[in-house]
Amino acid sequence: LDDVQRAVRWIRANAARYQVDPTRISAAGVSAGAHLAALLGTTDTRAHLDPALADYASRVNCVASWYGLFDLTQPFPSTPPNMEDQVTRFVGSNRSNTDAYRKASPITYIDPNSAQFMLIHGELDSTIPISQTRQFAAALQNASRPPILLTFPNEGHGILNSANVTAVRQQFLAFLKGC
């Protein structure tokens, strides 16, 4: 997270040089990448180690998330069989340290300053339950940051049907234009 936050701050610091609008920086991610993108959209800078970037925000303006993991405090499904182990290794602690799981969860940080979100999820996802996305969407709504929510009844952990891929692509491009 510190690395990508620093990258966002660097982009803002160099926006004029590269003709980038610093008010329209977005992040997108799939699965674990969606988790990281969501943290970019909900958290402020954690590490202020580079004085040259001190005046620049690291929170992105918009996030597109494909089947992301937003609340690590919740138990994980039995499939894939090693999901719980993967998350434990990622968090660096076992479930007894609930604070570590809470701190690693983007849902913890939702506030009225959170980015605009586009959330995409297949209802048949056996890796990341769609309940993760629905709960995250509800939390955004409660913070007056209503997301665009796209769910697909016949998709799993991936949007594979060509008509659905086309629909997501069109919505994604429209979302970015509006950010």
Side-chain angles (χ1 to χ4, degrees), residues 10-11 13-21:
W10 185 90
I11 290 168
N14 292 280
R17 178 179 177 190
Y18 293 103
Q19 299 177 353
V20 171
D21 183 345

Side-chain angles (χ1 to χ4, degrees), residues 150-163:
L150 302 175
T151 62
F152 297 91
N154 295 316
E155 298 281 8
H157 197 68
I159 307 301
L160 303 176
N161 175 284
S162 62

Side-chain angles (χ1 to χ4, degrees), residues 21-104:
D21 183 345
T23 67
R24 297 189 66 214
I25 297 177
S26 301
V30 174
S31 195
H35 171 264
L36 187 57
L39 284 169
L40 276 176
T42 57
T43 61
D44 291 318
T45 306
R46 292 184 338 159
H48 296 278
L49 303 176
D50 190 339
L53 301 176
D55 294 335
Y56 301 96
S58 63
R59 193 182 294 212
V60 296
N61 306 90
C62 296
V63 174
S65 163
W66 282 260
Y67 25 92
L69 185 57
F70 305 111
D71 186 353
L72 281 73
T73 67
Q74 295 182 12
F76 300 99
S78 58
T79 56
N82 61 348
M83 182 64 152
E84 187 69 37
D85 291 339
Q86 290 178 28
V87 173
T88 299
R89 282 194 308 272
F90 169 71
V91 172
S93 181
N94 64 33
R95 285 250 173 229
S96 65
N97 186 352
T98 56
D99 191 51
Y101 282 76
R102 187 187 60 73
K103 286 180 179 177

